[in-house]
Amino acid sequence: MTPRQRVLSGMRPTGPLHLGHWLGALKNWVDLQERYDCFFMVADWHALMSEYEHPDPIGEWSHQMVMDWIAAGVNPERSVVFRQSDVPEHLELYMVLSILAPLGWVERVPTYKEQLREVKGRDLATYGFLGYPVLQAADILLYKAHVVPVGEDQIPHLELTREIVRRFKFLYHQEIFPEPKPLLTPEAKLLGLDGRKMSKSYDNFIGLSEDPEAIRKKTQKMFTDPKRIKMSDPGHPEECNVCHYWQVFAPDQASRIWEECRTSKRGCTQNKQELAEQILQVTEPFRAQRGKVAEERAEKILAEGAQKARVVARETMREVKQAVGLA
Ligand code: TRP
């Protein structure tokens, strides 16, 4: 039997996970456990890079996030669930990679300038933030991951990682690292409640751990078809965020609902009320599981995960130190 390939992925603990994370990434992680040896990482150093000015409880978010992962079906017996800052080798490898990564490559990563421009209310013009994708490369290479499930926005970071692998090989004539491949997470077709990208910073999300009443209220406030003023006006479901949610949460009912909307048989208020109940039904298994995950369990999982991760990380660092002549 050939050994299974390795997967590594991470999320930054900067706030509550929302439906977009669940549908876009987490469900995919759960499935990947069947076919790969998976490492799932709480990227708390990465979180600190953007949150360092605020006394945000990154430690608390880390625990909450692990509890969400477990409730969604991540299995810590099978996958290594760990926190980046518990494995100091991440910073050691990051140091080596930052020494050999040409400045031009790092400065050219498109997400860097984009974030400096787009992210408001945070000063990201720091020395450390430039190194964000280099630390991400270290995360991936430390475990010699073959496959990295990510969203589209992370592709440039994977490309930089692959370039760093080639440069390492060129400089030291050693093939310690496989070139990791991105595995594009099937794009979640779920926009935020206001029709923009679902994001914590826009406050337009439904949190995975929100209670049913809050979910009903938020759904009721969603924007609908702007062209439909009265109920008797025919609707334009293709332009209505609520109707798009139906496609995600009840694909088998969506075409009937779209037709009822087009033919004015279904009003927007009813549409939102019923959607809320549908979202509640689909997310109920998650909520039921989430209620059973105790916070102490998160700590224990992270402690055990750190041990397992460090076994691999230490071995890689031993090889790296040898290759670069430090050993
Ligand atoms: N940058 C990733 C994000 O914001 C999080 C992350 C950190 C990550 N390290 C990683 C993802 C390693 C994949 C692999 O989503």
Side-chain angles (χ1 to χ4, degrees):
M1 215 174 79
T2 48
R4 300 211 290 181
Q5 290 207 320
R6 244 181 224 164
V7 158
L8 179 129
S9 198
M11 286 188 203
R12 300 179 315 129
T14 55
L17 292 191
H18 53 60
L19 289 179
H21 293 119
W22 189 48
L23 296 166
L26 261 182
K27 283 185 161 226
N28 194 35
W29 286 13
V30 170
D31 295 342
L32 289 171
Q33 298 180 113
E34 303 291 328
R35 283 176 291 129
Y36 294 96
D37 285 334
C38 294
F39 289 73
F40 297 127
M41 181 188 78
V42 178
D44 58 347
W45 285 125
H46 279 111
L48 193 60
M49 282 184 185
S50 60
E51 308 303 307
Y52 68 95
E53 291 169 287
H54 313 274
D56 245 25
I58 292 175
E60 175 60 22
W61 287 128
S62 300
H63 284 163
Q64 297 293 329
M65 191 163 82
V66 168
M67 292 159 76
D68 284 345
W69 290 359
I70 303 306
V74 169
N75 178 353
E77 319 266 282
R78 184 180 252 198
S79 304
V80 181
V81 174
F82 71 103
R83 175 167 51 190
Q84 194 179 30
S85 68
D86 286 336
V87 182
E89 285 80 4
H90 285 258
L91 300 185
E92 288 194 71
L93 185 54
Y94 168 58
M95 185 67 200
V96 173
L97 302 186
S98 67
I99 286 169
L100 62 88
L103 189 53
W105 291 7
V106 186
E107 284 175 335
R108 237 180 285 124
V109 174
T111 47
Y112 177 62
K113 288 198 185 92
E114 202 176 287
Q115 303 254 34
L116 285 192
R117 222 176 18 208
E118 302 287 329
V119 178
K120 304 278 177 252
R122 287 174 175 69
D123 184 359
L124 297 180
T126 62
Y127 171 63
F129 191 68
L130 179 63
Y132 185 110
V134 182
L135 178 58
Q136 184 164 348
D139 299 337
I140 296 165
L141 300 183
L142 200 48
Y143 303 95
K144 304 186 184 183
H146 305 91
V147 176
V148 184
V150 284
E152 193 104 51
D153 59 319
Q154 299 290 310
I155 295 294
H157 297 173
L158 258 291
E159 202 37 61
L160 179 71
T161 306
R162 293 161 63 85
E163 280 173 325
I164 288 176
V165 168
R166 295 195 279 269
R167 183 153 164 82
F168 192 97
K169 192 161 96 185
F170 167 78
L171 288 170
Y172 308 113
H173 312 290
Q174 292 204 31
E175 267 186 77
I176 298 182
F177 309 115
E179 278 187 36
K181 288 190 200 53
L183 182 70
L184 270 184
T185 315
E187 197 63 38
K189 283 167 259 127
L190 202 63
L191 291 173
L193 297 169
D194 55 2
R196 295 187 288 171
K197 178 184 151 84
M198 188 178 277
S199 155
K200 181 196 150 206
S201 37
Y202 296 154
D203 196 21
N204 64 354
F205 61 87
I206 295 181
L208 261 178
S209 302
E210 284 187 60
D211 61 61
E213 228 13 74
I215 293 181
R216 286 195 184 96
K217 278 214 188 86
K218 285 193 170 179
T219 310
Q220 208 44 248
K221 282 205 211 111
M222 284 176 76
F223 299 169
T224 53
D225 174 6
K227 291 197 200 130
R228 192 173 179 200
I229 317 282
K230 300 191 295 308
M231 191 187 149
S232 56
D233 297 339
H236 307 82
E238 58 290 333
E239 290 169 44
C240 172
N241 200 19
V242 175
C243 287
H244 285 293
Y245 269 55
W246 274 110
Q247 288 186 313
V248 174
F249 287 97
D252 51 330
Q253 296 178 55
S255 62
R256 171 180 57 83
I257 287 164
W258 280 42
E259 191 52 31
E260 289 173 4
C261 166
R262 265 191 210 105
T263 52
S264 314
K265 289 202 188 76
R266 164 178 289 263
C268 296
T269 306
Q270 176 201 358
N271 203 22
K272 291 197 273 190
Q273 266 160 7
E274 290 184 17
L275 174 66
E277 297 314 310
Q278 181 65 22
I279 294 176
L280 288 175
Q281 194 188 323
V282 171
T283 51
E284 183 47 36
F286 174 86
R287 268 190 306 281
Q289 286 305 114
R290 186 61 167 78
K292 291 191 222 151
V293 186
E295 183 143 8
E296 302 82 77
R297 180 126 180 258
E299 270 167 56
K300 195 156 164 280
I301 288 168
L302 287 176
E304 286 171 9
Q307 299 233 335
K308 292 186 222 166
R310 283 202 78 179
V311 172
V312 181
R314 268 196 218 107
E315 175 56 22
T316 304
M317 268 324 287
R318 196 187 58 73
E319 293 173 76
V320 168
K321 282 188 170 169
Q322 202 126 49
V324 303
L326 283 177

